[in-house]
Amino acid sequence: MRDLAAGGVVVESAVSTRLGLAGVNEAAESLAVMRHVAIGAIADMRVHVGAISSGRSVDALHGVGAHVSPWHVLLDERAHLERRYDTSLRLDPPLPTASSRDALVRAVQAGAVAVSSGHRAVPNRTKDLEMAIAEAGASSLALTLPLLLGERVLTPLELARATSAVPARILGLDDRGKIDKGARADLVVLRADVDDVVDARVVGSRSPANPWLGRRIKARVERTMVAGRNAFERRQS
């Protein structure tokens, strides 16, 4: 399985061949997922698979928990053709094929897969390099909810379920992931009528590299509450 992914930069496909970049075969991930599912069944233990990026992996889950990053439901490998050798698109796992992205979106919409930020801030010194040696990762913690809402990949209810209810179910947290009497008041207030440009201020990081840097975003987080108390509130400009 490691041999199938060794040295890979983007998903293995016609796009990787066209760009002359080493590809990661989707089987490297799906075989690993099948192995984890099998081991979990043998050991009679709960298994959660992190950061899947292929339709084959979705098919291999068989009721096992998994999550996907926002980039893998927002973008697919065709972005590499539009923005050739742009290292902001260098992610781990790599951006999926178009068909795999469709499968991931359907799995999220069905409540079978959670959405995690996949946040991994990468400094410019290791990002602004040749594609093959640039560090994989993106600063995405502050962008996950605004992007998925603003780009209308998911409905507001699908987004709430994928980023709150499904993770709470996976972790066995009965008092979270829902708005109900007696539940913990962890709430995020989003505004969906804005027109911001994604920059270091919006990202909230000194290492803001991500696939949306410099592009427009149509939603933002206005307030975050943890256990009923304000943890973040946007200042009025």
Side-chain angles (χ1 to χ4, degrees):
M1 287 176 281
R2 290 183 179 178
D3 290 342
L4 291 172
V9 177
V10 297
V11 66
E12 184 178 274
S13 68
V15 171
S16 65
T17 300
R18 182 174 176 180
L19 295 177
L21 295 171
V24 177
N25 193 297
E26 285 189 325
E29 179 182 279
S30 60
L31 287 171
V33 171
M34 286 187 279
R35 179 188 63 186
H36 293 324
V37 171
I39 291 174
I42 292 170
D44 191 24
M45 64 182 184
R46 295 175 62 187
V47 174
H48 179 80
V49 181
I52 61 172
S53 64
S54 81
R56 292 182 181 182
S57 296
V58 172
D59 294 338
L61 290 175
H62 299 300
V64 169
H67 70 262
V68 65
S69 87
W71 310 116
H72 294 74
V73 294
L74 284 163
L75 301 168
D76 60 53
E77 62 174 350
R78 290 172 293 186
H80 290 292
L81 294 176
E82 298 168 3
R83 297 151 58 184
R84 292 178 176 233
Y85 309 106
D86 182 350
T87 57
S88 70
L89 300 174
R90 178 84 159 88
L91 303 169
D92 183 20
L95 289 177
T97 62
S99 60
S100 281
R101 175 180 174 261
D102 289 342
L104 293 172
V105 171
R106 288 195 300 269
V108 171
Q109 290 172 332
V113 173
V115 172
S116 171
S117 72
H119 177 81
R120 186 173 184 272
V122 177
N124 290 341
R125 67 178 183 277
T126 59
K127 199 67 170 173
D128 294 340
L129 299 169
E130 296 90 335
M131 195 74 172
I133 60 175
E135 187 173 358
S139 187
S140 52
L141 185 62
L143 299 176
T144 299
L145 295 177
L147 275 176
L148 292 177
L149 179 65
E151 295 304 309
R152 300 185 180 180
V153 177
L154 305 172
T155 67
L157 286 177
E158 289 170 344
L159 178 59
R161 179 171 60 185
T163 57
S164 184
V166 175
R169 184 188 71 207
I170 290 171
L171 295 172
L173 301 174
D174 296 333
D175 64 336
R176 301 173 210 188
K178 58 186 177 182
I179 300 177
D180 198 4
K181 183 178 180 180
R184 192 169 116 153
D186 294 343
L187 303 169
V188 177
V189 178
L190 290 162
R191 182 176 174 181
D193 61 348
V194 303
D195 185 21
D196 293 335
V197 175
V198 176
D199 55 17
R201 175 189 59 83
V202 170
V203 175
S205 172
R206 294 181 180 178
S207 300
N210 70 78
W212 229 262
L213 198 64
R215 301 177 68 178
R216 309 199 85 81
I217 192 169
K218 301 172 185 176
R220 69 164 70 123
V221 174
E222 291 291 323
R223 178 182 298 183
T224 302
M225 299 179 69
V226 178
R229 296 186 177 183
N230 278 348
F232 166 80
E233 186 171 5
R234 183 174 297 278
R235 294 180 180 177
Q236 298 297 324
S237 57

